[in-house]
Amino acid sequence: IADKFSGGCGGGSYRRIDVFVDGVLAGATTPFPVVYSGGLDPPLWRPLAGIESFDIPAYRFDLSPFCGPFNDGAPHNISIDVVGNSPSGHWYIDPVLLVSFDPTYPARAGLVLEHHARAPPATTTVTDTADGRRITTSSAMTWSVVGILHAPDGEFAPPTSHTVTGSLAANTSNVYDGIDVQLTWGSASGRVESSSGGEVVVASAVEFEYPWRFWIDYDAATGMMAALADVSFARTQ
């Protein structure tokens, strides 16, 4: 929509990364809002750079439940989607597939036993006033995948199972007070559990939460543009 708010925050600050295996949801995460040095107001980052602005760690997705289908000799497609990205925005994605291969271990056949996913579209509300606009977005999703590998024909070994379950929740708000003031705040949280094994089960869990609040005010009344900003955000994992 071509109006005085066009281009602000790309229509909202909510983003989510989804991973699919042959069109089936295999994992998801809410990306951390990295603010690079110079973002919002350059003088803010002279004493201390933004969290992860020098080295953004890769997001990892456990695709172990799909080992059975991956080993059937047929081609498979692994795809990634950025949910919430605006048509005018862009994301640079460079996915890498990490595979552990043991040449001394006999190949196993298998399948995905169970797959459940509840991923409704994010709910976005846009409210306009005489002097501003507010965009709020909320989202919640869960998924669970169970896969199993069997011993080769003629060999006896207990089946190996792989289970991945996850849940995400996020709330964001973007406020434009007039044309000069922008305020963004929100929080995201999630938990992903993985377990693998036959007779011995190895389990792990990753839990994260990060709230944020960004405020910036542009003042051009004196003929020079001044940017005043306040940033508060954190990451726990």
Side-chain angles (χ1 to χ4, degrees):
I1 300 175
D3 58 22
K4 63 181 180 179
F5 299 109
S6 64
C9 294
S13 58
Y14 175 77
R15 301 291 185 271
R16 192 181 77 228
I17 302 174
D18 290 351
V19 178
F20 299 87
V21 175
D22 295 333
V24 175
L25 180 68
T29 193
T30 305
F32 179 72
V34 175
V35 180
Y36 294 100
S37 297
L40 298 183
D41 191 351
L44 283 175
W45 312 113
R46 288 178 180 173
L48 181 66
I51 300 173
E52 295 183 352
S53 61
F54 290 149
D55 185 12
I56 302 177
Y59 295 101
R60 292 199 174 195
F61 303 90
D62 188 354
L63 305 183
S64 298
F66 297 88
C67 285
F70 287 156
N71 202 34
D72 63 4
H76 296 277
N77 180 271
I78 300 175
S79 57
I80 298 176
D81 182 33
V82 179
V83 179
N85 194 26
S86 67
S88 60
H90 60 274
W91 276 60
Y92 296 105
I93 299 177
D94 185 18
V96 177
L97 183 62
L98 303 178
V99 179
S100 298
F101 177 71
D102 185 354
T104 66
Y105 193 78
R108 288 188 170 196
L111 70 160
V112 175
L113 287 178
E114 300 178 16
H115 179 273
H116 305 284
R118 183 181 180 276
T123 301
T124 301
T125 303
V126 180
T127 304
D128 285 336
T129 64
D131 299 322
R133 170 174 293 179
R134 178 171 180 170
I135 303 173
T136 60
T137 305
S138 61
S139 174
M141 65 176 297
T142 60
W143 70 95
S144 175
V145 188
V146 180
I148 193 170
L149 292 172
H150 299 282
D153 294 339
E155 295 189 18
F156 176 78
T160 301
S161 63
H162 301 280
T163 302
V164 175
T165 60
S167 62
L168 298 176
N171 295 278
T172 68
S173 293
N174 299 93
V175 173
Y176 309 91
D177 184 9
I179 194 61
D180 297 328
V181 177
Q182 297 185 15
L183 175 63
T184 296
W185 74 92
S187 64
S189 60
R191 180 178 177 87
V192 179
E193 299 181 357
S194 301
S195 62
S196 299
E199 297 179 342
V200 178
V201 177
V202 178
S204 64
V206 176
E207 190 168 3
F208 68 87
E209 181 178 4
Y210 30 85
W212 62 85
R213 181 185 181 276
F214 305 141
W215 169 84
I216 186 168
D217 183 7
Y218 297 97
D219 183 7
T222 61
M224 298 179 62
M225 196 278 285
L228 306 175
D230 178 77
V231 176
S232 174
F233 64 132
R235 176 170 184 165
T236 60
Q237 181 171 319

